[in-house]
Amino acid sequence: MHEEPFDLSRDPALGRELRALLDAGDATGFTASVLARLPERDSLWHVLAGWARPGIAAALVLGAALGFWLALGREPQGGADPAAEVLATDTPLDGEALMGFALGGGR
Amino acid sequence: MVRRLTRAVLRHAADADDAAQEAFLSAWNALDRFQPSQALGPWLARIAVNAARDLARRRRVRTTEPVPFDRADAGPPPDQVADRRVTGERLDAALATLPERQRVVLVLFEVEGYAHSEIGQLLGVPEGTVRSELFHAKRKLRELLRPLKEG
Protein backbone atom coordinates (compact mmCIF):
# COMPACT_ATOMS: atom_id res chain seq x y z
CA MET A 1 0.00 0.00 0.00
CA HIS A 2 1.07 3.57 -0.50
CA GLU A 3 2.23 5.25 2.63
CA GLU A 4 0.96 8.77 1.99
CA PRO A 5 -1.50 9.87 4.66
CA PHE A 6 -4.87 11.24 3.54
CA ASP A 7 -4.31 9.70 0.16
CA LEU A 8 -7.63 8.97 -1.50
CA SER A 9 -6.16 8.06 -4.86
CA ARG A 10 -6.28 4.51 -6.11
CA ASP A 11 -3.76 2.02 -4.87
CA PRO A 12 -3.26 -0.55 -7.64
CA ALA A 13 -1.36 -2.94 -5.38
CA LEU A 14 -4.12 -2.94 -2.80
CA GLY A 15 -6.68 -3.35 -5.56
CA ARG A 16 -4.88 -6.40 -6.90
CA GLU A 17 -4.62 -7.97 -3.45
CA LEU A 18 -8.27 -7.32 -2.71
CA ARG A 19 -9.31 -8.74 -6.06
CA ALA A 20 -7.23 -11.85 -5.49
CA LEU A 21 -8.74 -12.23 -2.04
CA LEU A 22 -12.34 -11.70 -3.05
CA ASP A 23 -12.36 -13.42 -6.43
CA ALA A 24 -14.34 -16.60 -6.17
CA GLY A 25 -13.51 -19.76 -8.01
CA ASP A 26 -15.74 -22.14 -9.92
CA ALA A 27 -17.39 -19.54 -12.10
CA THR A 28 -18.82 -22.29 -14.28
CA GLY A 29 -20.57 -24.02 -11.42
CA PHE A 30 -21.84 -20.77 -10.06
CA THR A 31 -23.18 -19.70 -13.43
CA ALA A 32 -24.89 -23.06 -13.89
CA SER A 33 -26.59 -22.80 -10.51
CA VAL A 34 -27.80 -19.27 -11.27
CA LEU A 35 -29.13 -20.32 -14.65
CA ALA A 36 -30.92 -23.25 -13.07
CA ARG A 37 -32.71 -20.90 -10.70
CA LEU A 38 -33.76 -18.34 -13.26
CA PRO A 39 -37.52 -18.41 -13.66
CA GLU A 40 -39.03 -18.87 -17.09
CA ARG A 41 -39.82 -15.68 -18.89
CA ASP A 42 -42.08 -15.36 -21.88
CA SER A 43 -39.21 -13.96 -23.79
CA LEU A 44 -36.69 -11.20 -23.63
CA TRP A 45 -38.40 -9.50 -26.52
CA HIS A 46 -40.86 -7.67 -24.34
CA VAL A 47 -37.94 -6.33 -22.30
CA LEU A 48 -36.17 -5.18 -25.43
CA ALA A 49 -39.44 -3.77 -26.74
CA GLY A 50 -39.88 -1.85 -23.52
CA TRP A 51 -36.41 -0.41 -23.85
CA ALA A 52 -36.96 0.41 -27.52
CA ARG A 53 -40.44 1.91 -27.12
CA PRO A 54 -39.32 5.48 -26.39
CA GLY A 55 -36.86 5.31 -29.26
CA ILE A 56 -39.49 4.03 -31.66
CA ALA A 57 -41.95 6.73 -30.61
CA ALA A 58 -39.32 9.41 -31.07
CA ALA A 59 -38.41 8.00 -34.49
CA LEU A 60 -42.09 7.98 -35.55
CA VAL A 61 -42.59 11.59 -34.47
CA LEU A 62 -39.39 12.62 -36.19
CA GLY A 63 -40.37 10.72 -39.34
CA ALA A 64 -43.82 12.29 -39.40
CA ALA A 65 -42.36 15.76 -38.92
CA LEU A 66 -39.80 15.17 -41.65
CA GLY A 67 -42.45 13.85 -44.02
CA PHE A 68 -44.68 16.84 -43.35
CA TRP A 69 -41.80 19.22 -43.92
CA LEU A 70 -40.83 17.51 -47.18
CA ALA A 71 -44.43 17.52 -48.33
CA LEU A 72 -44.67 21.26 -47.70
CA GLY A 73 -41.39 21.87 -49.45
CA ARG A 74 -42.41 19.93 -52.54
CA GLU A 75 -45.87 21.40 -52.85
CA PRO A 76 -46.21 23.36 -56.11
CA GLN A 77 -46.45 27.05 -55.53
CA GLY A 78 -47.93 29.23 -58.23
CA GLY A 79 -48.01 26.76 -61.08
CA ALA A 80 -46.92 23.38 -62.27
CA ASP A 81 -43.54 21.89 -61.59
CA PRO A 82 -41.19 23.05 -64.36
CA ALA A 83 -39.56 19.66 -64.48
CA ALA A 84 -42.92 18.01 -65.01
CA GLU A 85 -43.74 20.46 -67.72
CA VAL A 86 -40.46 19.81 -69.48
CA LEU A 87 -40.93 16.07 -69.27
CA ALA A 88 -44.57 16.21 -70.35
CA THR A 89 -43.97 18.19 -73.46
CA ASP A 90 -44.01 16.39 -76.76
CA THR A 91 -41.46 18.67 -78.24
CA PRO A 92 -37.88 17.51 -78.03
CA LEU A 93 -35.68 19.13 -75.44
CA ASP A 94 -33.43 21.81 -76.79
CA GLY A 95 -30.27 23.00 -75.17
CA GLU A 96 -31.71 26.28 -74.01
CA ALA A 97 -34.63 24.65 -72.24
CA LEU A 98 -32.37 22.08 -70.67
CA MET A 99 -29.92 24.65 -69.37
CA GLY A 100 -32.74 26.83 -68.14
CA PHE A 101 -34.17 23.92 -66.21
CA ALA A 102 -30.82 22.83 -64.81
CA LEU A 103 -30.00 26.33 -63.66
CA GLY A 104 -33.34 26.67 -61.97
CA GLY A 105 -34.92 29.04 -64.39
CA GLY A 106 -37.76 26.72 -65.11
CA ARG A 107 -38.25 26.68 -68.73
CA MET B 1 -18.06 -8.00 -9.52
CA VAL B 2 -21.26 -9.31 -7.97
CA ARG B 3 -19.55 -12.14 -6.10
CA ARG B 4 -16.74 -9.88 -4.92
CA LEU B 5 -19.21 -7.38 -3.52
CA THR B 6 -21.30 -9.99 -1.74
CA ARG B 7 -18.11 -11.44 -0.29
CA ALA B 8 -17.03 -8.01 0.88
CA VAL B 9 -20.35 -7.54 2.64
CA LEU B 10 -20.86 -11.00 4.08
CA ARG B 11 -17.34 -12.32 4.58
CA HIS B 12 -18.64 -15.83 4.31
CA ALA B 13 -18.02 -17.68 1.08
CA ALA B 14 -21.18 -19.79 0.95
CA ASP B 15 -23.45 -16.98 2.09
CA ALA B 16 -21.82 -14.66 -0.39
CA ASP B 17 -22.59 -17.03 -3.24
CA ASP B 18 -26.17 -17.37 -2.04
CA ALA B 19 -26.50 -13.60 -2.02
CA ALA B 20 -24.88 -13.35 -5.44
CA GLN B 21 -27.44 -15.81 -6.80
CA GLU B 22 -30.22 -13.78 -5.22
CA ALA B 23 -28.77 -10.67 -6.80
CA PHE B 24 -28.79 -12.19 -10.27
CA LEU B 25 -32.35 -13.41 -9.78
CA SER B 26 -33.44 -9.97 -8.61
CA ALA B 27 -31.72 -8.36 -11.56
CA TRP B 28 -33.37 -10.82 -13.93
CA ASN B 29 -36.79 -10.12 -12.47
CA ALA B 30 -36.22 -6.37 -12.55
CA LEU B 31 -34.78 -6.35 -16.03
CA ASP B 32 -37.78 -4.64 -17.59
CA ARG B 33 -37.44 -1.83 -15.05
CA PHE B 34 -33.82 -1.24 -15.99
CA GLN B 35 -33.41 1.88 -18.06
CA PRO B 36 -30.92 1.32 -20.87
CA SER B 37 -29.83 4.93 -20.53
CA GLN B 38 -28.28 4.12 -17.15
CA ALA B 39 -25.10 2.17 -16.63
CA LEU B 40 -25.54 -1.54 -16.02
CA GLY B 41 -22.60 -1.92 -13.65
CA PRO B 42 -23.74 0.38 -10.84
CA TRP B 43 -27.29 -0.92 -11.17
CA LEU B 44 -26.09 -4.48 -10.73
CA ALA B 45 -23.67 -3.49 -7.97
CA ARG B 46 -26.49 -1.85 -6.03
CA ILE B 47 -28.61 -4.99 -6.35
CA ALA B 48 -25.67 -7.12 -5.20
CA VAL B 49 -24.97 -4.99 -2.14
CA ASN B 50 -28.65 -4.95 -1.22
CA ALA B 51 -28.97 -8.70 -1.67
CA ALA B 52 -25.96 -9.28 0.56
CA ARG B 53 -27.26 -6.91 3.20
CA ASP B 54 -30.66 -8.60 3.14
CA LEU B 55 -29.04 -11.98 3.62
CA ALA B 56 -26.88 -10.61 6.41
CA ARG B 57 -30.00 -9.37 8.19
CA ARG B 58 -31.74 -12.70 7.74
CA ARG B 59 -28.77 -14.64 9.04
CA ARG B 60 -27.69 -12.33 11.81
CA VAL B 61 -28.19 -15.13 14.29
CA ARG B 62 -25.32 -16.97 12.69
CA THR B 63 -22.11 -16.48 14.62
CA THR B 64 -19.79 -14.66 12.31
CA GLU B 65 -16.80 -16.90 11.95
CA PRO B 66 -15.92 -16.22 8.37
CA VAL B 67 -14.67 -19.00 6.23
CA PRO B 68 -11.38 -17.94 4.67
CA PHE B 69 -11.82 -17.39 1.00
CA ASP B 70 -10.14 -19.69 -1.42
CA ARG B 71 -7.99 -17.54 -3.59
CA ALA B 72 -9.18 -18.18 -7.08
CA ASP B 73 -6.11 -17.13 -8.99
CA ALA B 74 -3.83 -20.05 -9.67
CA GLY B 75 -1.21 -17.82 -11.24
CA PRO B 76 1.77 -17.40 -8.93
CA PRO B 77 4.66 -19.80 -9.09
CA PRO B 78 5.01 -22.23 -6.17
CA ASP B 79 7.72 -20.27 -4.40
CA GLN B 80 5.41 -17.27 -4.17
CA VAL B 81 2.34 -19.14 -3.02
CA ALA B 82 3.29 -19.12 0.65
CA ASP B 83 4.06 -15.40 0.66
CA ARG B 84 0.86 -14.58 -1.13
CA ARG B 85 -1.15 -16.77 1.19
CA VAL B 86 0.30 -14.99 4.21
CA THR B 87 -0.42 -11.63 2.62
CA GLY B 88 -3.92 -12.75 1.69
CA GLU B 89 -4.65 -14.04 5.14
CA ARG B 90 -3.44 -10.86 6.74
CA LEU B 91 -5.42 -8.75 4.34
CA ASP B 92 -8.46 -10.92 4.98
CA ALA B 93 -8.05 -10.48 8.72
CA ALA B 94 -7.53 -6.74 8.34
CA LEU B 95 -10.57 -6.46 6.11
CA ALA B 96 -12.63 -8.25 8.75
CA THR B 97 -11.95 -5.44 11.20
CA LEU B 98 -13.56 -2.83 8.96
CA PRO B 99 -17.21 -1.94 9.21
CA GLU B 100 -19.31 -3.32 6.37
CA ARG B 101 -19.78 -0.01 4.58
CA GLN B 102 -16.06 0.69 4.61
CA ARG B 103 -15.40 -2.71 3.07
CA VAL B 104 -17.94 -2.08 0.33
CA VAL B 105 -16.63 1.40 -0.40
CA LEU B 106 -13.07 0.09 -0.47
CA VAL B 107 -13.92 -2.71 -2.89
CA LEU B 108 -16.04 -0.49 -5.12
CA PHE B 109 -13.20 2.03 -5.32
CA GLU B 110 -10.04 -0.05 -5.36
CA VAL B 111 -11.25 -3.18 -7.12
CA GLU B 112 -14.22 -2.17 -9.23
CA GLY B 113 -12.84 1.24 -10.14
CA TYR B 114 -15.86 3.41 -9.39
CA ALA B 115 -15.42 7.10 -8.63
CA HIS B 116 -16.36 8.56 -5.26
CA SER B 117 -19.46 10.20 -6.72
CA GLU B 118 -20.59 6.96 -8.38
CA ILE B 119 -20.16 5.05 -5.15
CA GLY B 120 -22.16 7.69 -3.33
CA GLN B 121 -25.03 7.38 -5.79
CA LEU B 122 -24.80 3.62 -5.74
CA LEU B 123 -24.96 3.38 -1.96
CA GLY B 124 -27.25 6.35 -1.45
CA VAL B 125 -24.78 8.29 0.69
CA PRO B 126 -23.09 11.67 0.15
CA GLU B 127 -19.81 11.73 -1.72
CA GLY B 128 -18.13 13.16 1.36
CA THR B 129 -19.18 10.13 3.32
CA VAL B 130 -17.63 7.90 0.68
CA ARG B 131 -14.36 9.79 0.92
CA SER B 132 -14.43 9.59 4.68
CA GLU B 133 -15.17 5.88 4.71
CA LEU B 134 -12.44 5.27 2.18
CA PHE B 135 -9.93 7.27 4.16
CA HIS B 136 -10.70 5.45 7.40
CA ALA B 137 -10.65 2.08 5.69
CA LYS B 138 -7.29 2.66 4.06
CA ARG B 139 -5.78 4.11 7.22
CA LYS B 140 -6.92 1.09 9.21
CA LEU B 141 -5.59 -1.34 6.63
CA ARG B 142 -2.31 0.55 6.51
CA GLU B 143 -1.96 0.32 10.26
CA LEU B 144 -2.75 -3.37 10.34
CA LEU B 145 -0.59 -4.31 7.39
CA ARG B 146 2.41 -2.14 8.23
CA PRO B 147 4.10 -4.68 10.54
CA LEU B 148 4.09 -7.16 7.70
CA LYS B 149 5.53 -4.67 5.27
CA GLU B 150 8.19 -3.55 7.70
CA GLY B 151 9.00 -7.08 8.70
Side-chain angles (χ1 to χ4, degrees):
Chain A
M1 292 180 65
H2 293 160
E3 297 299 324
E4 298 85 357
F6 309 113
D7 183 10
L8 288 179
S9 59
R10 288 188 211 288
D11 184 336
L14 176 61
R16 278 194 300 274
E17 283 298 324
L18 283 170
R19 178 180 286 270
L21 178 69
L22 295 171
D23 266 349
D26 192 22
T28 306
F30 177 79
T31 305
S33 60
V34 170
L35 290 176
R37 289 185 62 190
L38 287 183
E40 291 291 327
R41 292 190 80 129
D42 295 338
S43 79
L44 280 175
W45 286 111
H46 76 281
V47 174
L48 295 175
W51 291 351
R53 200 168 295 133
I56 291 173
L60 286 175
V61 169
L62 188 64
L66 187 62
F68 184 68
W69 178 75
L70 284 175
L72 281 182
R74 286 171 181 268
E75 189 172 304
Q77 294 176 351
D81 185 353
E85 281 190 11
V86 169
L87 293 174
T89 183
D90 289 336
T91 57
L93 283 173
D94 60 9
E96 186 182 353
L98 190 60
M99 286 302 294
F101 172 70
L103 294 175
R107 57 188 73 220
Chain B
M1 174 187 72
V2 168
R3 293 173 88 189
R4 284 193 292 270
L5 283 174
T6 56
R7 282 177 165 224
V9 173
L10 288 161
R11 306 215 10 84
H12 186 282
D15 282 357
D17 273 1
D18 285 349
Q21 286 193 19
E22 291 295 329
F24 280 116
L25 288 174
S26 298
W28 176 258
N29 289 327
L31 201 55
D32 44 7
R33 294 198 296 277
F34 172 71
Q35 297 297 316
S37 56
Q38 66 183 123
L40 179 65
W43 181 74
L44 201 53
R46 187 183 305 116
I47 291 176
V49 171
N50 288 339
R53 286 175 170 171
D54 285 347
L55 191 66
R57 276 191 288 272
R58 290 202 302 272
R59 296 189 177 171
R60 194 150 284 168
V61 290
R62 183 199 290 262
T63 54
T64 52
E65 189 62 35
V67 176
F69 299 138
D70 294 328
R71 292 164 71 94
D73 54 331
D79 60 337
Q80 292 181 14
V81 170
D83 286 346
R84 293 202 58 175
R85 184 172 296 279
V86 168
T87 306
E89 286 174 0
R90 290 186 64 95
L91 181 59
D92 192 23
L95 206 58
T97 66
L98 302 180
E100 180 251 293
R101 192 162 72 183
Q102 287 184 12
R103 293 199 301 270
V104 173
V105 167
L106 186 70
V107 171
L108 284 170
F109 184 76
E110 293 290 356
V111 182
E112 308 303 338
Y114 289 111
H116 301 133
S117 58
E118 290 177 307
I119 298 171
Q121 289 174 1
L122 197 156
L123 297 178
V125 297
E127 187 178 335
T129 304
V130 173
R131 291 174 178 272
S132 171
E133 296 283 42
L134 190 61
F135 166 70
H136 288 296
K138 292 178 82 166
R139 185 175 66 176
K140 185 79 177 286
L141 286 185
R142 191 177 296 128
E143 285 170 4
L144 292 171
L145 296 175
R146 178 169 290 137
L148 175 69
K149 296 282 182 185
E150 289 172 353

XYZ file of all heavy atoms in Angstrom, chain A residues 69-103:
249
model
N -42.654 18.136 -43.439
C -41.799 19.221 -43.924
C -41.454 19.033 -45.409
O -41.491 19.957 -46.204
C -40.534 19.249 -43.082
C -39.548 20.299 -43.508
C -39.622 21.632 -43.294
C -38.355 20.083 -44.252
N -38.546 22.275 -43.840
C -37.748 21.345 -44.442
C -37.726 18.954 -44.784
C -36.566 21.503 -45.127
C -36.533 19.116 -45.460
C -35.962 20.380 -45.633
N -41.166 17.790 -45.778
C -40.835 17.515 -47.176
C -42.041 17.752 -48.062
O -41.929 18.282 -49.157
C -40.345 16.069 -47.323
C -38.927 15.813 -46.829
C -38.600 14.322 -46.916
C -37.928 16.611 -47.664
N -43.218 17.327 -47.547
C -44.431 17.517 -48.327
C -44.685 19.000 -48.556
O -45.063 19.422 -49.651
C -45.610 16.879 -47.606
N -44.480 19.819 -47.543
C -44.666 21.264 -47.703
C -43.659 21.826 -48.697
O -43.991 22.648 -49.544
C -44.491 21.970 -46.352
C -45.664 21.928 -45.397
C -45.321 22.711 -44.130
C -46.909 22.531 -46.042
N -42.451 21.361 -48.590
C -41.392 21.874 -49.446
C -41.588 21.506 -50.901
O -41.191 22.243 -51.797
N -42.235 20.377 -51.153
C -42.411 19.930 -52.539
C -43.724 20.413 -53.153
O -43.964 20.191 -54.314
C -42.391 18.404 -52.587
C -40.999 17.831 -52.393
C -41.076 16.332 -52.220
N -39.752 15.778 -52.015
C -38.988 15.336 -52.999
N -39.409 15.387 -54.229
N -37.784 14.854 -52.742
N -44.568 20.996 -52.338
C -45.874 21.403 -52.849
C -45.699 22.488 -53.906
O -44.978 23.466 -53.687
C -46.721 21.938 -51.693
C -48.161 22.189 -52.079
C -48.967 22.535 -50.846
O -48.954 21.715 -49.910
O -49.568 23.619 -50.809
N -46.348 22.347 -55.058
C -46.210 23.362 -56.108
C -46.750 24.694 -55.627
O -47.788 24.739 -54.977
C -47.066 22.811 -57.241
C -47.263 21.373 -56.945
C -47.176 21.230 -55.472
N -46.014 25.732 -55.920
C -46.452 27.053 -55.526
C -46.535 27.901 -56.780
O -45.535 28.163 -57.438
C -45.476 27.678 -54.526
C -45.467 26.937 -53.206
C -44.435 27.503 -52.258
O -43.628 28.337 -52.643
N -44.468 27.046 -51.022
N -47.742 28.315 -57.114
C -47.933 29.230 -58.233
C -47.710 28.589 -59.585
O -47.144 29.201 -60.473
N -48.094 27.367 -59.764
C -48.012 26.761 -61.078
C -47.449 25.378 -61.042
O -47.078 24.881 -59.980
N -47.385 24.752 -62.195
C -46.923 23.378 -62.275
C -45.421 23.324 -62.103
O -44.713 24.319 -62.269
C -47.324 22.783 -63.609
N -44.972 22.129 -61.750
C -43.542 21.886 -61.590
C -42.867 22.026 -62.946
O -43.267 21.382 -63.918
C -43.360 20.471 -61.036
C -41.912 20.200 -60.726
O -41.046 21.028 -61.045
O -41.664 19.126 -60.159
N -41.843 22.902 -63.059
C -41.185 23.054 -64.358
C -40.623 21.757 -64.891
O -40.652 21.518 -66.102
C -40.077 24.055 -64.068
C -40.250 24.524 -62.676
C -41.313 23.736 -62.018
N -40.124 20.931 -64.026
C -39.564 19.663 -64.485
C -40.658 18.813 -65.109
O -40.463 18.199 -66.176
C -38.928 18.917 -63.321
N -41.824 18.802 -64.480
C -42.918 18.006 -65.014
C -43.347 18.561 -66.361
O -43.648 17.815 -67.291
C -44.092 18.015 -64.036
N -43.356 19.843 -66.447
C -43.742 20.456 -67.722
C -42.763 20.098 -68.828
O -43.141 19.770 -69.945
C -43.806 21.978 -67.561
C -45.087 22.440 -66.888
C -45.243 23.953 -66.970
O -44.483 24.597 -67.705
O -46.124 24.466 -66.292
N -41.481 20.145 -68.485
C -40.462 19.810 -69.479
C -40.617 18.377 -69.928
O -40.558 18.056 -71.111
C -39.047 20.053 -68.898
C -37.981 19.464 -69.805
C -38.819 21.532 -68.690
N -40.834 17.484 -68.926
C -40.927 16.067 -69.272
C -42.232 15.746 -70.001
O -42.297 14.787 -70.764
C -40.816 15.220 -67.999
C -39.446 15.270 -67.321
C -39.486 14.528 -65.990
C -38.370 14.688 -68.226
N -43.278 16.521 -69.765
C -44.570 16.215 -70.347
C -44.691 16.708 -71.786
O -45.556 16.259 -72.527
C -45.683 16.830 -69.499
N -43.837 17.611 -72.131
C -43.971 18.193 -73.464
C -43.605 17.179 -74.544
O -42.756 16.309 -74.331
C -43.081 19.443 -73.594
O -43.290 20.007 -74.863
C -41.623 19.103 -73.432
N -44.296 17.301 -75.650
C -44.014 16.390 -76.761
C -42.825 16.855 -77.573
O -42.194 16.077 -78.269
C -45.242 16.324 -77.675
C -46.366 15.574 -76.969
O -46.043 14.771 -76.075
O -47.539 15.808 -77.307
N -42.555 18.154 -77.424
C -41.459 18.669 -78.239
C -40.130 18.218 -77.666
O -39.988 18.102 -76.438
C -41.482 20.212 -78.246
O -41.420 20.673 -76.897
C -42.754 20.728 -78.914
N -39.186 17.957 -78.536
C -37.884 17.509 -78.028
C -37.199 18.620 -77.244
O -37.401 19.794 -77.507
C -37.118 17.171 -79.307
C -37.806 17.895 -80.394
C -39.232 18.035 -79.993
N -36.403 18.170 -76.268
C -35.685 19.133 -75.436
C -34.620 19.818 -76.265
O -33.883 19.183 -76.997
C -35.005 18.418 -74.273
C -35.891 17.996 -73.123
C -35.092 17.156 -72.162
C -36.468 19.200 -72.416
N -34.563 21.127 -76.160
C -33.434 21.807 -76.787
C -32.454 22.252 -75.700
O -32.743 22.189 -74.502
C -33.910 22.987 -77.629
C -34.666 24.021 -76.808
O -34.662 23.886 -75.550
O -35.249 24.926 -77.385
N -31.320 22.641 -76.114
C -30.270 23.005 -75.170
C -30.662 24.138 -74.263
O -30.385 24.121 -73.063
N -31.360 25.123 -74.821
C -31.713 26.283 -74.006
C -32.668 25.895 -72.891
O -32.515 26.298 -71.736
C -32.365 27.353 -74.903
C -32.626 28.657 -74.173
C -33.313 29.677 -75.077
O -33.454 29.393 -76.286
O -33.695 30.733 -74.553
N -33.661 25.074 -73.251
C -34.628 24.646 -72.240
C -33.945 23.814 -71.166
O -34.213 23.938 -69.967
C -35.751 23.838 -72.891
N -33.053 22.945 -71.616
C -32.370 22.077 -70.665
C -31.504 22.893 -69.707
O -31.506 22.682 -68.497
C -31.509 21.075 -71.433
C -30.911 19.948 -70.612
C -32.016 19.120 -69.964
C -30.026 19.081 -71.482
N -30.767 23.832 -70.225
C -29.916 24.651 -69.366
C -30.761 25.500 -68.428
O -30.437 25.676 -67.256
C -29.037 25.572 -70.222
C -27.896 24.863 -70.919
S -26.805 24.031 -69.770
C -26.110 25.430 -68.909
N -31.842 26.023 -68.975
C -32.738 26.828 -68.140
C -33.289 26.026 -66.992
O -33.334 26.481 -65.840
N -33.645 24.776 -67.268
C -34.167 23.923 -66.214
C -33.082 23.582 -65.199
O -33.279 23.640 -63.988
C -34.756 22.650 -66.844
C -35.147 21.638 -65.823
C -36.238 21.859 -64.993
C -34.432 20.462 -65.692
C -36.603 20.927 -64.068
C -34.794 19.534 -64.759
C -35.876 19.757 -63.942
N -31.907 23.237 -65.708
C -30.821 22.834 -64.814
C -30.378 23.981 -63.923
O -30.012 23.777 -62.787
C -29.638 22.321 -65.635
N -30.442 25.182 -64.450
C -30.002 26.332 -63.660
C -31.117 26.890 -62.796
O -30.931 27.893 -62.127
C -29.448 27.421 -64.584
C -28.162 27.029 -65.311
C -27.763 28.127 -66.296
C -27.031 26.814 -64.305
